[in-house]
mmCIF file of all heavy atoms in Angstrom:
data_model
loop_
_atom_site.group_PDB
_atom_site.id
_atom_site.type_symbol
_atom_site.label_atom_id
_atom_site.label_comp_id
_atom_site.label_asym_id
_atom_site.label_seq_id
_atom_site.Cartn_x
_atom_site.Cartn_y
_atom_site.Cartn_z
ATOM 1 N N TYR A 849 14.510 6.782 5.847
ATOM 2 C CA TYR A 849 15.621 6.533 4.919
ATOM 3 C C TYR A 849 16.141 7.854 4.356
ATOM 4 O O TYR A 849 17.345 8.035 4.157
ATOM 5 C CB TYR A 849 15.207 5.585 3.785
ATOM 6 C CG TYR A 849 16.382 5.227 2.898
ATOM 7 C CD1 TYR A 849 17.213 4.164 3.228
ATOM 8 C CD2 TYR A 849 16.689 5.988 1.777
ATOM 9 C CE1 TYR A 849 18.321 3.859 2.451
ATOM 10 C CE2 TYR A 849 17.797 5.693 0.995
ATOM 11 C CZ TYR A 849 18.618 4.629 1.345
ATOM 12 O OH TYR A 849 19.711 4.333 0.576
ATOM 13 N N GLY A 850 15.229 8.781 4.104
ATOM 14 C CA GLY A 850 15.628 10.088 3.551
ATOM 15 C C GLY A 850 16.610 10.797 4.461
ATOM 16 O O GLY A 850 17.614 11.355 3.998
ATOM 17 N N ASN A 851 16.337 10.783 5.761
ATOM 18 C CA ASN A 851 17.263 11.430 6.697
ATOM 19 C C ASN A 851 18.642 10.767 6.664
ATOM 20 O O ASN A 851 19.664 11.444 6.733
ATOM 21 C CB ASN A 851 16.687 11.377 8.117
ATOM 22 C CG ASN A 851 15.858 12.614 8.442
ATOM 23 O OD1 ASN A 851 16.178 13.729 8.011
ATOM 24 N ND2 ASN A 851 14.790 12.430 9.192
ATOM 25 N N ALA A 852 18.674 9.448 6.544
ATOM 26 C CA ALA A 852 19.959 8.740 6.472
ATOM 27 C C ALA A 852 20.679 9.087 5.165
ATOM 28 O O ALA A 852 21.891 9.326 5.139
ATOM 29 C CB ALA A 852 19.731 7.232 6.577
ATOM 30 N N LEU A 853 19.907 9.143 4.094
ATOM 31 C CA LEU A 853 20.508 9.390 2.772
ATOM 32 C C LEU A 853 21.104 10.791 2.679
ATOM 33 O O LEU A 853 22.172 10.983 2.082
ATOM 34 C CB LEU A 853 19.448 9.193 1.674
ATOM 35 C CG LEU A 853 19.915 9.443 0.248
ATOM 36 C CD1 LEU A 853 21.034 8.473 -0.142
ATOM 37 C CD2 LEU A 853 18.754 9.318 -0.734
ATOM 38 N N ILE A 854 20.436 11.754 3.275
ATOM 39 C CA ILE A 854 20.965 13.125 3.244
ATOM 40 C C ILE A 854 22.358 13.143 3.868
ATOM 41 O O ILE A 854 23.298 13.727 3.325
ATOM 42 C CB ILE A 854 20.006 14.084 3.982
ATOM 43 C CG1 ILE A 854 18.741 14.305 3.138
ATOM 44 C CG2 ILE A 854 20.678 15.428 4.274
ATOM 45 C CD1 ILE A 854 17.642 15.071 3.838
ATOM 46 N N ASP A 855 22.510 12.460 4.986
ATOM 47 C CA ASP A 855 23.830 12.424 5.642
ATOM 48 C C ASP A 855 24.855 11.707 4.779
ATOM 49 O O ASP A 855 25.995 12.170 4.634
ATOM 50 C CB ASP A 855 23.724 11.713 6.999
ATOM 51 C CG ASP A 855 23.033 12.586 8.043
ATOM 52 O OD1 ASP A 855 22.809 13.786 7.748
ATOM 53 O OD2 ASP A 855 22.703 12.073 9.124
ATOM 54 N N ALA A 856 24.454 10.585 4.197
ATOM 55 C CA ALA A 856 25.410 9.819 3.375
ATOM 56 C C ALA A 856 25.825 10.618 2.144
ATOM 57 O O ALA A 856 27.008 10.639 1.766
ATOM 58 C CB ALA A 856 24.790 8.482 2.956
ATOM 59 N N ALA A 857 24.871 11.300 1.514
ATOM 60 C CA ALA A 857 25.176 12.055 0.291
ATOM 61 C C ALA A 857 26.048 13.273 0.610
ATOM 62 O O ALA A 857 26.984 13.589 -0.136
ATOM 63 C CB ALA A 857 23.878 12.481 -0.395
ATOM 64 N N ASN A 858 25.763 13.931 1.719
ATOM 65 C CA ASN A 858 26.597 15.083 2.098
ATOM 66 C C ASN A 858 28.026 14.656 2.416
ATOM 67 O O ASN A 858 28.994 15.344 2.074
ATOM 68 C CB ASN A 858 25.976 15.815 3.295
ATOM 69 C CG ASN A 858 24.903 16.793 2.846
ATOM 70 O OD1 ASN A 858 25.051 17.482 1.830
ATOM 71 N ND2 ASN A 858 23.818 16.852 3.594
ATOM 72 N N LEU A 859 28.146 13.505 3.062
ATOM 73 C CA LEU A 859 29.470 12.973 3.399
ATOM 74 C C LEU A 859 30.265 12.677 2.130
ATOM 75 O O LEU A 859 31.456 13.012 2.013
ATOM 76 C CB LEU A 859 29.258 11.689 4.207
ATOM 77 C CG LEU A 859 30.382 11.171 5.066
ATOM 78 C CD1 LEU A 859 30.733 12.194 6.145
ATOM 79 C CD2 LEU A 859 29.944 9.847 5.735
ATOM 80 N N LEU A 860 29.601 12.096 1.156
ATOM 81 C CA LEU A 860 30.271 11.748 -0.100
ATOM 82 C C LEU A 860 30.655 13.015 -0.866
ATOM 83 O O LEU A 860 31.756 13.111 -1.412
ATOM 84 C CB LEU A 860 29.359 10.859 -0.951
ATOM 85 C CG LEU A 860 29.949 10.339 -2.251
ATOM 86 C CD1 LEU A 860 31.236 9.548 -2.018
ATOM 87 C CD2 LEU A 860 28.929 9.451 -2.988
ATOM 88 N N LYS A 861 29.756 13.971 -0.866
ATOM 89 C CA LYS A 861 30.027 15.234 -1.550
ATOM 90 C C LYS A 861 31.283 15.892 -0.956
ATOM 91 O O LYS A 861 32.196 16.294 -1.683
ATOM 92 C CB LYS A 861 28.813 16.154 -1.375
ATOM 93 C CG LYS A 861 28.968 17.535 -1.967
ATOM 94 C CD LYS A 861 27.693 18.334 -1.694
ATOM 95 C CE LYS A 861 27.862 19.782 -2.067
ATOM 96 N NZ LYS A 861 26.621 20.543 -1.799
ATOM 97 N N GLU A 862 31.322 15.921 0.363
ATOM 98 C CA GLU A 862 32.460 16.542 1.047
ATOM 99 C C GLU A 862 33.756 15.807 0.694
ATOM 100 O O GLU A 862 34.787 16.421 0.416
ATOM 101 C CB GLU A 862 32.178 16.457 2.555
ATOM 102 C CG GLU A 862 33.072 17.301 3.417
ATOM 103 C CD GLU A 862 32.806 17.011 4.899
ATOM 104 O OE1 GLU A 862 31.636 17.063 5.319
ATOM 105 O OE2 GLU A 862 33.772 16.687 5.610
ATOM 106 N N ARG A 863 33.651 14.481 0.647
ATOM 107 C CA ARG A 863 34.836 13.666 0.348
ATOM 108 C C ARG A 863 35.338 13.923 -1.071
ATOM 109 O O ARG A 863 36.540 14.054 -1.303
ATOM 110 C CB ARG A 863 34.474 12.191 0.546
ATOM 111 C CG ARG A 863 35.642 11.317 0.829
ATOM 112 C CD ARG A 863 35.211 9.900 1.080
ATOM 113 N NE ARG A 863 34.772 9.647 2.446
ATOM 114 C CZ ARG A 863 34.255 8.480 2.846
ATOM 115 N NH1 ARG A 863 34.107 7.492 1.979
ATOM 116 N NH2 ARG A 863 33.894 8.294 4.098
ATOM 117 N N ILE A 864 34.405 14.011 -2.009
ATOM 118 C CA ILE A 864 34.777 14.257 -3.409
ATOM 119 C C ILE A 864 35.437 15.631 -3.545
ATOM 120 O O ILE A 864 36.490 15.787 -4.185
ATOM 121 C CB ILE A 864 33.522 14.181 -4.323
ATOM 122 C CG1 ILE A 864 33.020 12.738 -4.408
ATOM 123 C CG2 ILE A 864 33.823 14.728 -5.721
ATOM 124 C CD1 ILE A 864 31.625 12.612 -5.030
ATOM 125 N N LEU A 865 34.820 16.622 -2.915
ATOM 126 C CA LEU A 865 35.355 17.976 -3.057
ATOM 127 C C LEU A 865 36.730 18.113 -2.393
ATOM 128 O O LEU A 865 37.625 18.768 -2.921
ATOM 129 C CB LEU A 865 34.363 19.002 -2.488
ATOM 130 C CG LEU A 865 33.017 19.097 -3.232
ATOM 131 C CD1 LEU A 865 32.142 20.184 -2.633
ATOM 132 C CD2 LEU A 865 33.195 19.330 -4.732
ATOM 133 N N LYS A 866 36.895 17.446 -1.258
ATOM 134 C CA LYS A 866 38.200 17.496 -0.575
ATOM 135 C C LYS A 866 39.286 16.844 -1.418
ATOM 136 O O LYS A 866 40.403 17.353 -1.534
ATOM 137 C CB LYS A 866 38.115 16.804 0.787
ATOM 138 C CG LYS A 866 37.616 17.719 1.883
ATOM 139 C CD LYS A 866 37.710 17.024 3.230
ATOM 140 C CE LYS A 866 37.185 17.952 4.327
ATOM 141 N NZ LYS A 866 36.803 17.184 5.521
ATOM 142 N N ARG A 867 38.936 15.685 -2.007
ATOM 143 C CA ARG A 867 39.922 14.988 -2.829
ATOM 144 C C ARG A 867 40.315 15.842 -4.034
ATOM 145 O O ARG A 867 41.478 15.965 -4.398
ATOM 146 C CB ARG A 867 39.369 13.636 -3.276
ATOM 147 C CG ARG A 867 40.268 12.826 -4.210
ATOM 148 C CD ARG A 867 41.666 12.569 -3.626
ATOM 149 N NE ARG A 867 41.644 12.133 -2.249
ATOM 150 C CZ ARG A 867 41.585 10.855 -1.882
ATOM 151 N NH1 ARG A 867 41.585 9.909 -2.782
ATOM 152 N NH2 ARG A 867 41.551 10.532 -0.603
ATOM 153 N N CYS A 868 39.318 16.477 -4.615
ATOM 154 C CA CYS A 868 39.554 17.323 -5.772
ATOM 155 C C CYS A 868 40.397 18.549 -5.385
ATOM 156 O O CYS A 868 41.275 18.977 -6.132
ATOM 157 C CB CYS A 868 38.207 17.753 -6.332
ATOM 158 S SG CYS A 868 38.222 17.898 -8.088
ATOM 159 N N ALA A 869 40.108 19.081 -4.203
ATOM 160 C CA ALA A 869 40.886 20.228 -3.719
ATOM 161 C C ALA A 869 42.356 19.843 -3.565
ATOM 162 O O ALA A 869 43.258 20.602 -3.949
ATOM 163 C CB ALA A 869 40.315 20.709 -2.384
ATOM 164 N N ASP A 870 42.595 18.643 -3.039
ATOM 165 C CA ASP A 870 43.972 18.156 -2.902
ATOM 166 C C ASP A 870 44.651 18.061 -4.264
ATOM 167 O O ASP A 870 45.801 18.466 -4.438
ATOM 168 C CB ASP A 870 43.992 16.773 -2.244
ATOM 169 C CG ASP A 870 43.624 16.849 -0.763
ATOM 170 O OD1 ASP A 870 43.557 17.986 -0.246
ATOM 171 O OD2 ASP A 870 43.368 15.787 -0.161
ATOM 172 N N LEU A 871 43.908 17.502 -5.226
ATOM 173 C CA LEU A 871 44.485 17.305 -6.558
ATOM 174 C C LEU A 871 44.869 18.624 -7.204
ATOM 175 O O LEU A 871 45.885 18.731 -7.881
ATOM 176 C CB LEU A 871 43.469 16.597 -7.464
ATOM 177 C CG LEU A 871 43.247 15.114 -7.211
ATOM 178 C CD1 LEU A 871 42.061 14.614 -8.028
ATOM 179 C CD2 LEU A 871 44.516 14.338 -7.578
ATOM 180 N N TRP A 872 44.008 19.601 -6.980
ATOM 181 C CA TRP A 872 44.250 20.917 -7.629
ATOM 182 C C TRP A 872 45.013 21.888 -6.736
ATOM 183 O O TRP A 872 45.182 23.054 -7.058
ATOM 184 C CB TRP A 872 42.901 21.549 -8.015
ATOM 185 C CG TRP A 872 42.253 20.877 -9.199
ATOM 186 C CD1 TRP A 872 42.844 20.054 -10.100
ATOM 187 C CD2 TRP A 872 40.878 20.972 -9.605
ATOM 188 N NE1 TRP A 872 41.943 19.628 -11.038
ATOM 189 C CE2 TRP A 872 40.717 20.188 -10.757
ATOM 190 C CE3 TRP A 872 39.767 21.656 -9.105
ATOM 191 C CZ2 TRP A 872 39.494 20.056 -11.427
ATOM 192 C CZ3 TRP A 872 38.561 21.532 -9.762
ATOM 193 C CH2 TRP A 872 38.418 20.735 -10.913
ATOM 194 N N MET A 873 45.424 21.416 -5.579
ATOM 195 C CA MET A 873 46.136 22.245 -4.607
ATOM 196 C C MET A 873 45.341 23.500 -4.259
ATOM 197 O O MET A 873 45.846 24.610 -4.195
ATOM 198 C CB MET A 873 47.538 22.595 -5.118
ATOM 199 C CG MET A 873 48.425 21.373 -5.157
ATOM 200 S SD MET A 873 50.091 21.730 -5.661
ATOM 201 C CE MET A 873 49.925 21.844 -7.411
ATOM 202 N N VAL A 874 44.032 23.289 -4.055
ATOM 203 C CA VAL A 874 43.155 24.373 -3.617
ATOM 204 C C VAL A 874 43.013 24.249 -2.110
ATOM 205 O O VAL A 874 42.762 23.159 -1.599
ATOM 206 C CB VAL A 874 41.770 24.244 -4.301
ATOM 207 C CG1 VAL A 874 40.776 25.227 -3.691
ATOM 208 C CG2 VAL A 874 41.890 24.459 -5.794
ATOM 209 N N THR A 875 43.218 25.327 -1.374
ATOM 210 C CA THR A 875 43.195 25.243 0.084
ATOM 211 C C THR A 875 41.781 25.025 0.623
ATOM 212 O O THR A 875 41.562 24.233 1.521
ATOM 213 C CB THR A 875 43.746 26.551 0.706
ATOM 214 O OG1 THR A 875 44.723 27.063 -0.176
ATOM 215 C CG2 THR A 875 44.325 26.298 2.070
ATOM 216 N N ASP A 876 40.842 25.763 0.048
ATOM 217 C CA ASP A 876 39.488 25.714 0.608
ATOM 218 C C ASP A 876 38.541 24.959 -0.319
ATOM 219 O O ASP A 876 38.217 25.439 -1.413
ATOM 220 C CB ASP A 876 38.987 27.153 0.805
ATOM 221 C CG ASP A 876 37.644 27.186 1.511
ATOM 222 O OD1 ASP A 876 37.115 26.098 1.853
ATOM 223 O OD2 ASP A 876 37.122 28.294 1.709
ATOM 224 N N PRO A 877 38.065 23.777 0.109
ATOM 225 C CA PRO A 877 37.133 23.000 -0.742
ATOM 226 C C PRO A 877 35.864 23.785 -1.082
ATOM 227 O O PRO A 877 35.157 23.424 -2.017
ATOM 228 C CB PRO A 877 36.809 21.773 0.111
ATOM 229 C CG PRO A 877 37.867 21.703 1.137
ATOM 230 C CD PRO A 877 38.348 23.102 1.378
ATOM 231 N N LYS A 878 35.576 24.844 -0.335
ATOM 232 C CA LYS A 878 34.379 25.634 -0.636
ATOM 233 C C LYS A 878 34.493 26.330 -1.992
ATOM 234 O O LYS A 878 33.497 26.824 -2.535
ATOM 235 C CB LYS A 878 34.141 26.681 0.459
ATOM 236 C CG LYS A 878 33.614 26.088 1.753
ATOM 237 C CD LYS A 878 32.946 27.156 2.620
ATOM 238 C CE LYS A 878 32.491 26.602 3.946
ATOM 239 N NZ LYS A 878 33.662 26.293 4.838
ATOM 240 N N GLU A 879 35.706 26.406 -2.532
ATOM 241 C CA GLU A 879 35.868 26.998 -3.865
ATOM 242 C C GLU A 879 35.425 26.037 -4.976
ATOM 243 O O GLU A 879 35.420 26.393 -6.148
ATOM 244 C CB GLU A 879 37.339 27.394 -4.091
ATOM 245 C CG GLU A 879 37.774 28.550 -3.225
ATOM 246 C CD GLU A 879 39.213 28.960 -3.483
ATOM 247 O OE1 GLU A 879 39.845 28.411 -4.407
ATOM 248 O OE2 GLU A 879 39.716 29.816 -2.732
#
Side-chain angles (χ1 to χ4, degrees):
Chain A
Y849 185 86
N851 268 324
L853 179 62
I854 288 172
D855 286 351
N858 276 320
L859 200 62
L860 184 57
K861 177 181 171 180
E862 193 187 308
R863 204 177 277 175
I864 290 167
L865 295 183
K866 275 187 181 159
R867 177 56 46 90
C868 214
D870 289 350
L871 286 171
W872 287 343
M873 291 183 280
V874 171
T875 328
D876 186 1
K878 286 200 183 71
E879 291 182 5

